[in-house]
Amino acid sequence: RKEVEQDPGPFNVPEGATVAFNCTYSNSASQSFFWYRQDCRKEPKLLMSVYSSGNEDGRFTAQLNRASQYISLLIRDSKLSDSATYLCVVNSSYNNNDMRFGAGTRLTVKP
Amino acid sequence: GAVVSQHPSRVICKSGTSVKIECRSLDFQATTMFWYRQFPKKSLMLMATSNEGSKATYEQGVEKDKFLINHASLTLSTLTVTSAHPEDSSFYICSASRTSGMSRLSYEQYFGPGTRLTVT
């Protein structure tokens, strides 16, 4: 089983739609969780950290469910510029500096 | 946000030659840097963790003699792909970790723009 699993998509949604991605992780001792965004042929960029209580940043909402070992990302009112690959990132419990990446979920927002 | 640079951004080399990639943290000190490799439409795969002043820690399956890592200062880590082969062609990305004070729950990684290596 992969350490971090994501639905690869692609998700094709119209502008203005709400879309949600889920990510599951295998290591129950993981402590830190993030969503990164990666545009084609570019480096990943931090979108948001995911906190236990859930957190929101504008149109983006992240949730963490430790019991079921998954995190989610909700994007409301999708924009064309949201088209990218969204990477779920979880740290390894053995080293808090050791992040493990999911394969990413591809989102395309269409006009 | 923190800035991490990589050089070169793109390199084409012949099979059997060696290529050095530099990773620099421009506005912060990074005691730990990471080297990843990403094949097309695949996830980032951690190759090694680079610690300033000590030997790098390599992931299982990554040959340390082929991928030489040096972390000579708090702002510079280098990856040298020795005796490159076409199967080494990939997107190599470094990152540097920046922590928020004493909080161990605030690890965030800032990525360099990546180096696209093509071995012919």
Side-chain angles (χ1 to χ4, degrees):
Chain A
R1 182 185 172 188
K2 293 180 182 177
E3 289 188 67
V4 182
E5 292 200 68
Q6 292 181 252
D7 181 345
F11 284 67
N12 299 309
V13 302
E15 259 187 302
T18 296
V19 62
F21 308 135
N22 283 334
C23 164
T24 58
Y25 59 95
S26 61
N27 191 331
S28 59
S30 298
Q31 295 294 328
S32 302
F33 309 90
F34 307 90
W35 283 102
Y36 278 73
R37 168 193 171 129
Q38 186 174 24
D39 292 292
C40 189
R41 302 173 78 85
K42 299 286 186 182
E43 77 277 19
K45 293 189 176 178
L46 179 65
L47 179 66
M48 60 196 301
S49 302
V50 186
Y51 302 122
S52 297
S53 55
N55 48 301
E56 187 174 308
D57 183 2
R59 297 182 293 108
F60 300 86
T61 300
Q63 297 274 351
L64 167 64
N65 185 318
R66 286 188 184 273
S68 301
Q69 293 181 208
Y70 79 82
I71 67 174
S72 64
L73 177 67
L74 181 77
I75 304 175
R76 291 183 298 276
D77 188 23
S78 300
K79 311 292 185 189
L80 296 177
S81 57
D82 293 334
S83 298
T85 296
Y86 290 84
L87 305 174
C88 171
V89 184
V90 177
N91 88 317
S92 161
S93 66
Y94 300 106
N95 181 340
N96 276 324
N97 250 323
D98 185 4
M99 304 298 187
R100 300 290 166 167
F101 286 75
T105 298
R106 174 73 190 156
L107 171 66
T108 300
V109 181
K110 299 185 175 181
Chain B
V3 179
V4 176
S5 70
Q6 261 184 261
H7 178 80
S9 58
R10 182 183 295 268
V11 59
I12 300 173
C13 70
K14 291 185 177 181
S15 187
T17 60
S18 295
V19 175
K20 179 185 282 188
I21 303 170
E22 292 187 349
C23 177
R24 293 181 185 273
S25 57
L26 298 183
D27 56 355
F28 67 102
Q29 293 184 330
T31 54
T32 306
M33 289 184 173
F34 305 87
W35 287 96
Y36 295 85
R37 180 167 52 184
Q38 186 176 34
F39 293 106
K41 298 186 179 181
K42 298 292 185 182
S43 178
L44 275 77
M45 296 298 297
L46 179 66
M47 298 175 67
T49 302
S50 169
N51 299 296
E52 187 266 337
S54 64
K55 292 182 178 180
T57 302
Y58 289 80
E59 293 298 300
Q60 191 173 15
V62 178
E63 300 174 57
K64 62 180 182 180
D65 294 330
K66 180 169 180 62
F67 299 99
L68 301 178
I69 291 173
N70 183 275
H71 195 152
S73 75
L74 287 172
T75 59
L76 173 64
S77 177
T78 61
L79 168 68
T80 301
V81 183
T82 62
S83 186
H85 290 101
E87 57 265 31
D88 298 325
S89 299
S90 186
F91 191 45
Y92 291 86
I93 308 177
C94 73
S95 72
S97 177
R98 184 179 193 181
T99 59
S100 173
M102 294 298 291
S103 171
R104 292 176 62 80
L105 299 181
S106 300
Y107 284 84
E108 296 177 3
Q109 289 193 17
Y110 296 89
F111 288 85
T115 297
R116 194 160 298 281
L117 170 64
T118 303
V119 184
T120 60

